[in-house]
């Protein structure tokens, strides 16, 4: 594991991801994403999602961001998908007929057409004009990839990946980080509001 | 101790400077919400007392927060506009202006809710907690100068609103509204986030100031597809939140199904907060790239006007009608955004100022109109079909008169704030040379007038099948909260219509200070 991390780290400092590796992983990730959408069984969909998430974690590894990769595995591939599976099984919708209940015939083709249109539009705007990072007046990139206070430019192993991340989180992004506390309070209060059994009797009369 | 860890701990970490006066409005509301949660936990055996205390706490919190916003205004006047928290927060006129509107809308939202919650048997402190937390997110949105902060604020106020929309869990429509808003809202947030990612990829920063600087040095013709795609996705995400067509699909269903005071709050404060971000990101940070995004805003504005006014004309439900008219209002405000950076010599009224003034007036009109609708509703959210408003002038003369005022204001009749708001939008469009947009807006205003007048006529017209006993129907007794809220909104709309100059001037100052 450590060797893999180090190897990945070294690779990324120069930002030379092996193209064969990249395309192979990309193919698997896209196959997983397609599987999420087309599989009839919701449990299979969730498992396909795990596949995509893990491949994305590997992408982060190849970009010398082991910290993000591990977070990706822990949060997305584990916690969130397990939550999905819980919900699927609790609601008992792990049978495929539940998914085949769209009553409007035009929705599916229309959705597909709009999705393809968006995809085409995005590809058309991005391709041929793909440049990352700050640019000079002529539109030429100043540096290969924007750096987050040197997250990508430090090299000395795992701790150095985490330290700049923590540093930015508690200095540059301190307020953003603090405000997420409000989100957590809302989540708790909201869960109580929505899940609590009403103590009052249900309304009997309809009009006042 | 682990030597590596020790080294990390020893390296000097420059501590972020906490600018307390600037975050005080946000902190005040957040602390108030936490106090209410704690009260609820400590005094579990006395729910009545907790509810009374939490109402008092909510108003104390709102007033405190308002005082801190006033202090911000003083600070700006003393030391000019500035950024703080490593550029995450912009302290300028727009921050103060938008925060003030949000606080006013929240206070009125609480006042309107009190009677409603009693009628529907929903008197719980959680309602106030969620409302205050949502407002907290909106205050953050108003000063957010960093795309990450914009996103966090957007999520904070949206998630609180999803729950508020579903607050009346016993009513299926309320649950449906909450779920629909949540699913579509989460979807639009994801799109917005992707837009942030692409913009970051293209400019190398999430800070709006740095993005603006970066865009300033690049020749507009050399803008990469990445940047343009980022703009597009950000427009989709924000367009959803301000319910601009074609991202408006959720609006009528959610506005109709949600408890009416929530709808009033959603229609006013949410739109103000989301437009604040819209203006700050596009008219502020992306000003140098306005050739890239102005055509898209043009289309959005015209579509919103078209869909909003025409669909409002064919609704048979008052709440849905007002929902569609809020889409049309989004269209007018988008006109202001479209012409925000149009280079004109005699640009006396920049589009941003017109938009901000329109937001102020719109928030009051929406709160007032939904406030009256809420009072006319019967228990269980019935009685809001247009046919239920027949002869309302005989049955409930006061409410009918108030609703007429709010509807005329929305139609843009002179001597109401709505007239000045529409006029300033059209004037800024004409000043910027966007005659087609101005004409589209005026046409929409004419069709819109028909929509509002139809309801007014329904309330006042007499016919053959009239109920002769209509005048004897018992008058609805308004609760104190609604009475105060409706008095404030009605008089404010008239004041804004008769003496708008002071407010227009403030809106103008707010934009002059806008960080570029």
């Amino acid at each position: 594991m450590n060797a893999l991390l180090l190897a990945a780290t070294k690779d990324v400092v120069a930002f030379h991801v092996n193209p064969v590796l990249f395309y192979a992983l990309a193919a698997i990730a896209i196959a997983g994403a397609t599987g999420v959408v087309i599989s009839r069984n919701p449990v299979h969909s969730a498992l396909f999602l795990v596949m995509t998430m893990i491949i994305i974690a590997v992408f982060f590894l190849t970009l010398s961001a082991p910290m993000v990769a591990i977070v990706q595995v822990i949060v997305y591939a584990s916690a969130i998908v397990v939550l999905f599976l819980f919900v699927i099984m609790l609601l008992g919708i792990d049978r495929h007929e539940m998914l085949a209940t769209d009553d409007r015939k035009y929705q599916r083709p229309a959705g597909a057409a709009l999705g393809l249109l968006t995809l085409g539009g995005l590809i058309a705007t991005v391709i041929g004009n793909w440049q990352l990072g700050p640019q000079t007046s002529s539109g030429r990139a100043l540096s290969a990839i924007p750096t987050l206070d040197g997250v990508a430019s430090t090299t000395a192993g795992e701790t150095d990946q985490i330290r700049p991340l923590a540093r930015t989180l508690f200095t540059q992004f301190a307020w953003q980080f603090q405000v997420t506390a409000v989100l957590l309070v809302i989540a708790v209060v909201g869960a109580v509001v929505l899940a609590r059994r009403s103590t009052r009797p249900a309304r009997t009369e309809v009009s006042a | 101790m682990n030597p590596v860890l020790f080294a990390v701990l020893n390296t000097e970490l420059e501590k972020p400077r906490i600018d307390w006066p600037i975050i005080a409005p946000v902190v005040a509301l957040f602390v108030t919400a936490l106090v209410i949660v704690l009260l609820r936990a400590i005094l579990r055996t006395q729910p009545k007392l907790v509810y009374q205390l939490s109402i008092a706490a909510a108003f104390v919190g709102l007033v405190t927060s308002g005082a801190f916003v006033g202090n911000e205004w003083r600070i700006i006047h003393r030391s000019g506009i500035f950024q703080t928290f490593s550029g995450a927060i912009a302290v300028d006129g727009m921050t103060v202006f938008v925060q003030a509107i949000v606080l006013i809308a929240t206070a009125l939202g609480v006042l309107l809710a009190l009677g409603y919650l009693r009628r529907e048997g929903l008197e719980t402190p959680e309602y106030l907690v969620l409302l205050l937390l949502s407002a907290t997110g909106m205050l953050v949105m108003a000063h957010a100068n960093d795309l990450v902060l914009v996103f966090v604020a957007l999520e904070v106020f949206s998630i609180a609103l999803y729950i508020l929309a579903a607050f009346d869990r016993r009513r299926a429509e309320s649950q449906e509204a909450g779920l629909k808003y949540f699913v579509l809202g989460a979807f639009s947030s994801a799109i917005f986030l992707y837009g942030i990612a692409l913009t970051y990829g293209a400019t190398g920063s999430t800070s709006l100031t740095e993005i603006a600087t970066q865009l300033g040095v690049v020749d507009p013709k050399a803008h990469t597809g990445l940047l343009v795609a980022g703009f597009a996705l950000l427009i989709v995400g924000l367009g959803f939140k301000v319910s601009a067509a074609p991202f408006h699909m959720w609006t009528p269903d959610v506005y109709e199904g949600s408890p009416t005071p929530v709808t009033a709050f959603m229609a006013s404060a949410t739109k103000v907060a989301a437009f604040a971000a819209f203006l700050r990101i596009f008219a502020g940070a992306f000003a140098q790239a306005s050739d890239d995004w102005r055509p898209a805003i043009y289309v959005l504005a015209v579509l919103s006007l078209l869909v909003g006014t025409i669909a409002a004309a064919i609704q048979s439900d008052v709440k849905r009608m007002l929902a569609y008219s809020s889409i049309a209002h989004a269209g007018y405000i988008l006109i202001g955004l479209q012409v925000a950076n149009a280079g004109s010599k005699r640009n006396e009224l920049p589009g941003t100022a017109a938009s901000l003034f329109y937001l102020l007036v719109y928030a009051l009109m929406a709160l007032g109109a939904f406030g009256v609708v809420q009072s006319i509703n019967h228990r269980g959210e019935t009685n809001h079909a247009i046919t239920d408003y027949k002869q309302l002038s005989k049955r409930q003369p006061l409410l009918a008169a108030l609703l007429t005022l709010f509807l005329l204001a929305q139609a843009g009749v002179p001597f109401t704030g709505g007239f000045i708001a529409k006029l300033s939008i059209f004037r800024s469009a004409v000043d910027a040379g966007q005659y087609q947009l101005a004409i589209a807006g005026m046409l929409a205003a004419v069709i819109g007038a028909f929509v509002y007048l139809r309801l007014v006529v329904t309330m006042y017209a007499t016919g053959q099948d009239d109920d002769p006993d209509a005048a004897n129907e018992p008058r609805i007794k308004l609760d104190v909260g609604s009475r105060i809220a409706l008095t404030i909104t009605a008089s404010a709309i008239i004041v804004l219509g008769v003496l708008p100059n002071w407010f227009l001037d403030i809106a103008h100052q707010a934009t002059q200070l806008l960080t570029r």
Side-chain angles (χ1 to χ4, degrees):
Chain A
M1 184 61 191
N2 238 340
L4 178 68
L5 283 183
L6 280 180
T9 315
K10 263 185 209 136
D11 241 3
V12 184
V13 174
F15 291 110
H16 286 150
V17 183
N18 185 340
V20 178
L21 185 69
F22 174 80
Y23 285 112
L25 289 174
I28 303 174
I30 292 173
T34 318
V36 175
V37 184
I38 64 168
S39 59
R40 293 236 149 222
N41 188 328
V43 177
H44 293 175
S45 283
L47 292 176
F48 273 121
L49 194 61
V50 178
M51 183 167 127
T52 309
M53 296 296 185
I54 288 180
I55 298 296
I56 290 173
V58 179
F59 273 136
F60 283 130
L61 276 184
T62 63
L63 288 168
S64 84
M67 169 71 189
V68 187
I70 291 163
V71 169
Q72 168 84 9
V73 171
I74 293 173
V75 175
Y76 285 92
S78 332
I80 288 185
V81 174
V82 168
L83 198 71
F84 278 176
L85 287 174
F86 264 129
V87 172
I88 290 169
M89 286 168 179
L90 275 177
L91 293 179
I93 51 169
D94 45 350
R95 291 177 303 275
H96 49 77
E97 59 264 31
M98 294 293 290
L99 285 179
T101 51
D102 46 348
D103 45 354
R104 288 181 206 170
K105 288 277 173 278
Y106 66 87
Q107 270 186 344
R108 223 170 250 252
L114 281 175
L116 284 175
L117 197 70
T118 314
L119 183 68
L122 273 181
I123 290 175
T125 36
V126 169
I127 276 197
N129 216 347
W130 175 273
Q131 265 172 3
L132 279 170
Q135 284 140 36
T136 60
S137 57
S138 60
R140 190 169 296 255
L142 283 175
S143 61
I145 272 194
T147 54
L148 190 77
D149 263 8
V151 168
S153 51
T154 43
T155 48
E158 290 154 82
T159 33
D160 271 353
Q161 299 294 326
I162 300 164
R163 189 157 43 163
L165 197 68
R167 203 175 265 271
T168 21
L169 207 55
F170 288 103
T171 55
Q172 198 189 343
F173 289 87
W175 182 234
Q176 287 91 323
F177 188 58
Q178 297 295 320
V179 173
T180 48
V182 185
L183 209 55
L184 295 178
V185 177
I186 291 175
V188 173
V189 176
V192 169
V193 167
L194 293 179
R196 180 183 50 198
R197 205 164 278 151
S198 179
T199 47
R200 290 178 186 74
R203 242 190 329 268
T204 44
E205 85 266 53
V206 175
S207 59
Chain B
M1 198 193 268
N2 184 330
V4 177
L5 188 63
F6 192 73
V8 171
L9 288 175
N10 266 350
T11 36
E12 79 310 328
L13 180 79
E14 78 284 19
K15 293 193 193 98
R17 204 170 68 83
I18 308 289
D19 213 338
W20 287 104
I22 299 308
I23 57 168
V26 178
V27 174
L29 277 199
F30 184 48
V31 168
T32 312
L34 290 181
V35 165
I36 297 177
V37 172
L38 282 179
L39 278 178
R40 169 89 177 169
I42 295 166
L43 301 171
R44 232 172 327 174
T45 48
Q46 289 148 296
K48 280 250 161 60
L49 176 69
V50 172
Y51 185 63
Q52 304 296 338
L53 283 178
S54 51
I55 294 170
F59 282 111
V60 170
L62 282 166
V63 169
T64 317
S65 183
F68 285 133
V69 170
N71 185 42
E72 263 185 289
W73 184 241
R74 207 177 52 83
I75 291 173
I76 293 171
H77 268 274
R78 203 183 48 209
S79 47
I81 58 170
F82 58 98
Q83 295 174 28
T84 182
F85 276 92
S86 325
I89 296 178
V91 188
D92 54 23
M94 194 172 135
T95 306
V96 175
F97 192 81
V98 171
Q99 287 187 339
I101 306 181
V102 166
L103 286 176
I104 292 168
T106 313
L108 293 171
V110 173
L111 282 172
L112 282 176
L114 297 178
Y116 178 91
L117 295 177
R118 190 177 317 137
R119 187 180 78 201
E120 305 285 335
L122 291 168
E123 290 173 295
T124 49
E126 283 84 3
Y127 184 92
L128 297 169
V129 172
L130 289 170
L131 203 69
L132 291 176
L133 290 176
S134 183
T136 310
M138 291 171 186
L139 294 187
V140 175
M141 191 86 156
H143 69 205
N145 193 38
D146 179 285
L147 286 174
V148 176
L149 189 57
V150 172
F151 180 72
V152 174
L154 191 85
E155 286 300 279
V156 166
F157 78 68
S158 300
I159 290 177
L161 280 173
Y162 303 150
I163 302 159
L164 282 173
F167 201 81
D168 192 357
R169 283 183 305 136
R170 291 160 304 178
R171 220 160 30 81
E173 298 84 25
S174 178
Q175 288 188 4
E176 186 196 324
L179 193 66
K180 197 171 262 179
Y181 195 22
F182 169 62
V183 172
L184 293 175
F187 193 57
S188 83
S189 294
I191 293 175
F192 185 73
L193 192 58
Y194 196 17
I196 294 177
L198 292 185
T199 312
Y200 172 66
T203 59
S205 177
T206 57
S207 153
L208 291 180
T209 316
E210 275 172 40
I211 291 175
T213 322
Q214 168 63 20
L215 291 178
V217 299
V218 182
D219 176 22
K221 290 203 177 55
H223 282 161
T224 62
L226 206 57
L227 188 67
V228 178
F231 288 171
L233 295 180
L234 290 178
I235 289 177
V236 173
L238 288 170
F240 177 90
K241 292 294 171 199
V242 303
S243 59
F247 314 112
H248 66 283
M249 303 294 184
W250 57 278
T251 316
D253 291 348
V254 173
Y255 279 22
E256 186 194 1
S258 306
T260 313
V262 176
T263 312
F265 179 70
M266 213 163 15
S268 53
T270 312
K271 204 161 276 201
V272 173
F275 261 114
F278 222 145
L279 289 169
R280 202 185 277 285
I281 295 175
F282 281 89
F286 299 165
Q288 298 290 334
S290 56
D291 286 347
D292 289 334
W293 55 262
R294 281 180 63 205
I297 301 292
Y298 189 107
V299 174
L300 244 62
V302 173
L303 271 181
S304 304
L305 291 171
L306 209 66
V307 171
T309 40
I310 291 174
I314 55 169
Q315 296 305 314
S316 57
D317 183 291
V318 176
K319 276 175 98 178
R320 288 184 80 84
M321 191 205 93
L322 288 174
Y324 275 108
S325 88
S326 91
I327 296 169
H329 287 302
Y332 293 110
I333 303 167
L334 282 172
I335 294 182
L337 172 61
Q338 212 275 346
V339 299
N341 304 111
S344 162
K345 279 147 217 107
R346 48 189 195 100
N347 211 344
E348 286 161 11
L349 187 73
T352 330
S355 289
L356 284 177
F357 183 75
Y358 201 108
L359 280 172
L360 169 66
V361 176
Y362 168 75
L364 293 167
M365 296 190 298
L367 277 163
F370 280 112
V372 177
V373 169
Q374 164 202 314
S375 308
I376 294 169
N377 279 353
H378 291 164
R379 188 157 196 242
E381 287 272 344
T382 53
N383 203 38
H384 49 74
I386 288 190
T387 46
D388 294 328
Y389 283 68
K390 264 189 189 156
Q391 284 187 290
L392 196 73
S393 60
K394 284 221 181 74
R395 294 184 281 127
Q396 312 290 349
L398 180 66
L399 285 175
L402 277 173
L403 188 57
T404 307
L405 171 68
F406 294 126
L407 290 174
L408 291 180
Q410 298 207 21
V413 170
F415 301 112
T416 62
F419 173 72
I420 308 289
K422 282 204 169 63
L423 190 69
S424 35
I425 288 279
F426 298 153
R427 213 180 97 198
S428 67
V430 169
D431 276 359
Q434 286 285 0
Y435 299 109
Q436 289 155 336
L437 259 185
I439 290 169
M442 287 174 208
L443 282 177
V446 172
I447 307 173
F450 161 75
V451 175
Y452 304 115
L453 287 178
R454 186 174 69 133
L455 188 54
V456 174
V457 167
T458 313
M459 290 192 292
Y460 281 90
T462 46
Q464 311 281 303
D465 54 343
D466 285 353
D467 180 5
D469 295 332
N472 299 328
E473 192 186 277
R475 301 271 190 277
I476 293 169
K477 202 171 172 309
L478 282 180
D479 60 284
V480 186
S482 303
R483 217 177 286 168
I484 299 172
L486 291 176
T487 314
I488 293 175
T489 43
S491 36
I493 280 172
I494 293 173
V495 169
L496 283 168
V498 180
L499 304 162
N501 285 335
W502 190 72
F503 296 95
L504 272 174
D505 199 43
I506 298 233
H508 203 158
Q509 283 187 38
T511 52
Q512 281 173 332
L513 299 168
L514 182 68
T515 323
R516 281 281 160 76

